[in-house]
Amino acid sequence: MAPYKMLHPLLFLSALIALSELAALFSDDARVKYPFDTPTATLRPTRYEIPLGGNVTLSCFVDGSDNWTILWYRAATYGSKDEPMTEYEGKKAINVSQGGIYHCRGRSDSGSITHQSNAAIIEDTLPITAILTLKPNWTKIYMGETFTVRCDIQGGEGTYWSYDWRPKRFTTYYTTNERTFYNVGWDDNGDYQCRGKTDLSFTQWSNVIPVTVSFKLHPVLTLSPSWLSPGASVTLNCEVEYPSEGWSFSWYKAVPYYKITEEPYTYELLPDGSKTAQSLYIITGQTSTAAYVCRAERGSNYYYTYYSDPKFVWSADASSAASLTVGPVVQNFGSDFVKLTCKGNSSSWRVRKFPENGRPYCSNFWLSGESVCTIDTTYSDDGVYWCESMLKEFSNAVNITLQDFYSGPLMVVPVDPVNEGTFVSLSCNLRRKKIFPNVAFYHNDKLVQNDSREELNFLAVSKSDEGFYKCQYSGKESPSRYMTVKSTVPPEIFSQNESSENSPLHPGSAAVYESANKNGRHWKWSVRRAVAAKQKRILL
């Protein structure tokens, strides 16, 4: 076998050139093609959406030289054949208003052709407007609900459409004209629109439907009357926003729940109280204190709102099963307390109040036996009080105004006699949270001060200030208290041997002026003798 010999590189290149020229002579279009580094045309823009009635300018260029004749091609749809656009031959930029997939090439004077350019995908807008509807057509959407948007294209019947949606995060082409959003939340807020798409054409964008997702609805229950009277019925009314938008209502009785730290009540469905179309529910024959709640729902995939807050109807009639008694008033550490006592069939009780005002008193735990709850009148926490038992019983209710149990303020005076000329402060112990502006002080039944101060001060008390004092607050008067003022005898000022130089009026003596109180009614002078060193020696 003859040994293999490598062909010289120059001979190999010459052979390739000869073959290419030979192929050009026998090709169908007789065009010369470059065997190496064939230029490529570039087309801009690569993608554009033409608005209704608009156009776009396409530009084609070949790198390295301007001596190229530009050839244009258009495919009407995806997958269709490129058709030459001979009317634009030789133009480096053209204006088009039709959708399509555009390409370009460059041809040299010698007839060589560049590679085909990149595609320019041009989409146009049809004179058709999509119509967006919301189902169900509710004014407000609540968290957890379901809604559907539907896109209809009038005049586009018989055309295969896909659909484009806004907000942008939902911009994906769907072949169905409906989109349903389940268990909606904050991410579903936005302005919704749609349009149809067929191949390289769009309809115009639809109308805008704003969707705002709100917190879950909290229905409000009202009832009438609040206090039961013999033979009267009780009307419950469950109020929601936009009541005409397909709501149905369910009605419950609230009963005491033994796990107070979790929920104070559980709910039991009332007779025929499930999914009523009316927002009213009437109860007849109710004779004792009771609590009720309501709940609302709507839509084919029912969305259940929160329960309403419990609302109460109260009865003043006590029964052997459950009763509340009030009183007496007891005092402890200078404050007044009212005793509430629960009695009845149950062994465990709690006391509730309306309005609660953040002070549930004895409602945070169950009290055993004949339970007693004491209420501090300091806070003036007026309201309706009643007892609840673990046997799901309610006692009679009592409307308590704690002012009626307020025994009044206390006048505080020094127990021991006070020295004349000294500072003395008397005070009024209100024994409750101050809710009224003025406190009045009386001396021997004569008003001496009436303003916001709770103290009566004497800068230098005098003998005339001695007597009975009392204070008045919130229509209640304290018991009178007596203040004793002790006189002070001034020291001997003169001796028989002292000259007039040492008299109290002499500059060598010091006179001290003291004021009794700010009203300027009482004054007192005291004189202190200043003794010179010489006189001290005489006395010694």
Side-chain angles (χ1 to χ4, degrees):
M1 182 175 179
Y4 173 78
K5 294 183 179 180
M6 181 179 293
L7 187 64
H8 193 279
L10 291 177
L11 293 175
F12 178 72
L13 181 59
S14 299
L16 285 177
I17 293 174
L19 288 173
S20 65
E21 290 175 350
L22 182 63
L25 291 174
F26 293 98
S27 63
D28 292 337
D29 55 6
R31 290 182 297 180
V32 176
K33 299 186 173 87
Y34 288 104
F36 300 108
D37 299 328
T38 302
T40 300
T42 302
L43 182 58
R44 295 287 185 270
T46 59
R47 194 177 193 100
Y48 189 80
E49 185 179 316
I50 302 174
L52 184 65
N55 58 67
V56 62
T57 299
L58 303 180
S59 299
C60 183
F61 59 91
V62 180
D63 291 335
S65 176
D66 292 332
N67 297 322
W68 294 91
T69 298
I70 303 302
L71 306 177
W72 295 91
Y73 305 88
R74 174 181 176 269
T77 62
Y78 288 104
S80 63
K81 182 181 178 181
D82 281 352
E83 299 294 339
M85 302 173 68
T86 56
E87 68 273 24
Y88 295 118
E89 184 175 320
K91 294 182 178 181
K92 291 182 172 59
I94 62 173
N95 290 328
V96 298
S97 58
Q98 277 187 303
I101 302 174
Y102 291 82
H103 294 92
C104 67
R105 290 175 182 267
R107 184 181 65 198
S108 70
D109 292 340
S110 63
S112 61
I113 302 298
T114 67
H115 289 304
Q116 182 175 268
S117 72
N118 57 289
I121 301 174
I122 306 302
E123 298 163 314
D124 58 11
T125 303
L126 302 173
I128 300 175
T129 301
I131 298 175
L132 183 68
T133 54
L134 177 68
K135 299 189 305 181
N137 189 20
W138 291 331
T139 306
K140 183 178 287 188
I141 306 294
Y142 294 96
M143 292 184 68
E145 287 188 312
T146 298
F147 70 88
T148 299
V149 286
R150 177 184 175 90
C151 192
D152 291 304
I153 301 172
Q154 294 184 350
E157 295 82 0
T159 302
Y160 178 80
W161 297 97
S162 59
Y163 297 88
D164 192 9
W165 303 89
R166 286 177 177 169
K168 284 296 185 183
R169 62 181 178 275
F170 304 130
T171 303
T172 306
Y173 299 121
Y174 286 81
T175 56
T176 176
N177 68 334
E178 288 189 349
R179 292 204 63 193
T180 299
F181 299 87
Y182 299 95
N183 193 25
V184 299
W186 295 121
D187 290 341
D188 299 307
N189 283 297
D191 292 332
Y192 284 74
Q193 283 183 286
C194 72
R195 64 178 178 178
K197 184 179 187 299
T198 175
D199 207 7
L200 293 170
S201 296
F202 290 101
T203 68
Q204 297 180 71
W205 282 103
S206 72
N207 53 302
V208 176
I209 295 181
V211 172
T212 301
V213 179
S214 303
F215 280 113
K216 286 187 176 181
L217 177 70
H218 196 81
V220 176
L221 177 64
T222 58
L223 52 80
S224 179
S226 296
W227 287 88
L228 289 171
S229 56
S233 60
V234 180
T235 300
L236 311 183
N237 183 15
C238 195
E239 299 176 1
V240 295
E241 285 186 298
Y242 313 109
S244 62
E245 296 185 351
W247 294 100
S248 62
F249 303 89
S250 297
W251 308 91
Y252 303 85
K253 185 175 182 178
V255 296
Y257 186 46
Y258 71 95
K259 292 185 178 180
I260 302 176
T261 56
E262 296 180 7
E263 290 290 340
Y265 301 100
T266 57
Y267 306 126
E268 298 177 353
L269 189 67
L270 291 170
D272 299 321
S274 177
K275 301 177 184 178
T276 65
Q278 300 297 320
S279 61
L280 297 178
Y281 187 92
I282 298 176
I283 298 172
T284 58
Q286 184 67 38
T287 58
S288 60
T289 298
Y292 300 96
V293 297
C294 70
R295 197 175 190 182
E297 54 193 78
R298 68 179 182 182
S300 56
N301 294 322
Y302 284 128
Y303 157 69
Y304 295 88
T305 70
Y306 292 121
Y307 291 101
S308 69
D309 292 331
K311 291 299 175 70
F312 296 86
V313 57
W314 293 296
S315 171
D317 296 334
S319 68
S320 58
S323 66
L324 169 67
T325 56
V326 181
V329 177
V330 295
Q331 292 186 354
N332 191 15
F333 299 106
S335 296
D336 294 328
F337 292 86
V338 179
K339 294 178 65 176
L340 306 181
T341 303
C342 300
K343 297 180 180 179
N345 296 334
S346 178
S347 61
S348 297
W349 298 90
R350 69 185 181 197
V351 175
R352 300 288 290 178
K353 172 188 173 293
F354 177 84
E356 189 169 280
N357 293 341
R359 303 187 64 82
Y361 296 105
C362 303
S363 64
N364 282 341
F365 48 88
W366 293 102
L367 300 172
S368 300
E370 184 180 293
S371 303
V372 176
C373 178
T374 56
I375 303 174
D376 188 353
T377 66
T378 299
Y379 295 95
S380 186
D381 211 352
D382 301 342
V384 179
Y385 291 78
W386 67 94
C387 300
E388 297 174 356
S389 77
M390 272 194 178
L391 297 179
K392 303 180 180 180
E393 296 168 323
F394 291 83
S395 74
N396 57 301
V398 180
N399 194 355
I400 296 177
T401 302
L402 292 180
Q403 172 69 13
D404 298 338
F405 299 92
Y406 177 45
S407 59
L410 293 177
M411 187 69 210
V412 180
V413 302
V415 177
D416 298 324
V418 298
N419 292 324
E420 190 176 15
T422 59
F423 173 81
V424 176
S425 180
L426 311 183
S427 64
C428 187
N429 183 0
L430 304 183
R431 299 199 299 167
R432 69 182 308 178
K433 183 179 179 181
K434 189 175 182 182
I435 55 176
F436 299 104
N438 283 6
V439 178
F441 288 89
Y442 293 85
H443 176 216
N444 294 331
D445 293 326
K446 181 180 179 181
L447 180 67
V448 293
Q449 180 176 293
N450 186 15
D451 54 29
S452 62
R453 292 174 294 173
E454 299 175 30
E455 300 86 19
L456 179 65
N457 296 324
F458 300 89
L459 297 181
V461 71
S462 68
K463 189 66 177 176
S464 61
D465 295 322
E466 190 173 75
F468 286 98
Y469 287 86
K470 63 183 178 181
C471 61
Q472 189 180 76
Y473 173 73
S474 183
K476 299 286 186 175
E477 196 172 86
S478 73
S480 295
R481 297 289 185 267
Y482 194 85
M483 182 178 72
T484 302
V485 179
K486 182 172 62 176
S487 298
T488 57
V489 179
E492 183 182 356
I493 297 177
F494 297 104
S495 67
Q496 294 181 352
N497 297 327
E498 289 175 351
S499 65
S500 60
E501 291 181 341
N502 299 315
S503 69
L505 301 180
H506 190 273
S509 300
V512 179
Y513 165 80
E514 294 178 352
S515 169
N517 61 27
K518 61 193 285 185
N519 297 323
R521 297 190 307 273
H522 306 290
W523 304 87
K524 180 166 180 70
W525 290 90
S526 66
V527 180
R528 186 178 60 197
R529 182 178 181 184
V531 181
K534 179 179 178 180
Q535 292 171 325
K536 288 182 180 180
R537 288 194 298 270
I538 295 174
L539 292 175
L540 292 172

